[in-house]
Amino acid sequence: MNTSTDLAGNRESGLLRGFSLEITGKDVDDLWAASAKIPPGTRVNITFLANEDASMRVRAAEVIKDLGFRPVPHISARRLRSRGELDTYLAALARIGAVEDVVVIGGDPAEPAGPFPDALAVISSGALVEHGVRHVDIAGYPEGHPKIEDEVLWQAVKDKSVALREQGLGYSVATQFVFDAAAPITWLERLRKQGIDAPVRIGVPGPAGARRLLRYAKRFGVSSSATVVQKYGFSLTGLLGTAGPTRFVADLEAAIDPASHGAVLLHFYTFGGVRATADWIQTAQPN
């Protein structure tokens, strides 16, 4: 396979089938504009940003549902000020029929704003089941986390998996975006050896300007060394250009073995470029 130019193998196995997208509350207009190019029922995650309030997230979920997609709102544990705030948010999502699928993450703040120090605390509270959640995405970090030791991250995945199973909730592991396809493959192998067989959604940076991709990489603690970004498909001497995930997805396709790696799907971080991401997927998607 010529991993830098084609997705022939991808078309054969359908790695792109069942992909999901991530947007912010501000991206709903772009999602609407791109909706004809996105398959009905596609999962669309809604981030939990500090500069967007709950009403904006709920409105985004409503638009996503009206467009025929599946809203998957984020819940950021350390941004929640109280159990009441969590209940109010989940109840608002339930009223519009958008509470069955959520993502539960720890969140960025160094100190929790309320009683939830991490995602496990939200899961263990019982609030998700009480409000009708049926499936939860939890976070995975193929390249680690700049502020959390690897063994702590692995223990957290195991603890959350146990807690979700005990509550009868389905779950998937959705990873942070990466630039080097080798990292999620190695991470997947370890995940399966830990006995976690849940589906995994590998985070993929959608097509965007190289400067923007590097800016997001720095913000989220993702590796962006010269070697890695060159593997991804753009040169540090041409940072005004646009980089897309063609090489990355093809490299993943070549390395993934469903027999050992289990169910693997792609999750696209759109970085405000919903239409560009939808265009790329439509071109690359299996017929």
Side-chain angles (χ1 to χ4, degrees):
M1 176 186 293
N2 182 350
T3 58
S4 65
T5 59
D6 68 59
L7 292 171
N10 200 47
R11 295 179 187 279
E12 291 171 6
S13 72
L15 184 60
L16 276 167
R17 295 187 189 280
F19 71 86
S20 53
L21 301 170
E22 185 151 321
I23 69 168
T24 73
K26 298 182 180 74
D27 293 329
V28 290
D29 288 342
D30 282 343
L31 180 68
W32 182 88
S35 60
K37 299 179 179 180
I38 302 171
T42 295
R43 293 166 64 89
V44 181
N45 291 16
I46 308 157
T47 57
F48 197 109
L49 299 180
N51 60 355
E52 296 180 355
D53 61 21
S55 63
M56 183 178 290
R57 299 180 201 113
V58 173
R59 175 58 184 155
E62 191 170 24
V63 171
I64 290 166
K65 191 169 184 290
D66 289 345
L67 287 171
F69 307 131
R70 194 169 185 89
V72 187
H74 282 214
I75 297 170
S76 180
R78 286 193 288 274
R79 292 195 188 281
L80 294 168
R81 291 164 294 184
S82 66
R83 166 64 190 260
E85 183 178 9
L86 173 60
D87 286 328
T88 298
Y89 183 43
L90 291 171
L93 293 171
R95 282 194 293 272
I96 62 170
V99 79
E100 289 192 0
D101 298 89
V102 299
V103 180
V104 182
I105 58 173
D108 296 331
E111 296 295 331
F116 302 111
D118 51 32
L120 181 61
V122 172
I123 294 166
S124 300
S125 73
L128 304 180
V129 173
E130 289 174 18
H131 288 277
V133 173
R134 300 181 64 182
H135 186 277
V136 177
D137 278 3
I138 57 176
Y141 297 90
E143 292 186 324
H145 189 287
K147 298 180 181 178
I148 306 174
E149 294 181 1
D150 281 352
E151 292 308 315
V152 174
L153 291 173
W154 281 110
Q155 188 61 51
V157 171
K158 289 188 282 188
D159 291 344
K160 287 180 282 190
S161 298
V162 170
L164 290 164
R165 287 197 297 267
E166 287 177 347
Q167 294 185 49
L169 291 169
Y171 76 102
S172 303
V173 183
T175 82
Q176 183 55 276
F177 68 90
V178 293
F179 290 120
D180 185 357
I185 295 300
T186 302
W187 177 87
L188 264 172
E189 291 167 354
R190 181 171 178 181
L191 184 77
R192 299 317 185 195
K193 287 178 181 177
Q194 299 281 337
I196 298 172
D197 60 0
V200 169
R201 293 182 176 273
I202 303 267
V204 181
R211 289 187 186 276
R212 175 178 286 191
L213 289 176
L214 290 176
R215 185 168 67 249
Y216 275 100
K218 182 178 180 179
R219 175 180 171 186
F220 291 106
V222 175
S223 175
S224 58
S225 69
T227 301
V228 171
V229 297
Q230 286 171 6
K231 283 183 179 180
Y232 188 72
F234 60 88
S235 168
L236 290 177
T237 62
L239 293 183
L240 294 179
T242 296
T246 299
R247 178 185 296 182
F248 177 86
V249 173
D251 285 348
L252 271 181
E253 178 63 35
I256 286 175
D257 175 11
S260 58
H261 296 136
V264 179
L265 303 162
L266 300 183
H267 178 67
F268 288 89
Y269 291 81
T270 61
F271 304 135
V274 179
R275 282 176 285 185
T277 302
D279 286 341
W280 184 91
I281 294 170
Q282 187 179 58
T283 300
Q285 202 169 28
N287 296 320

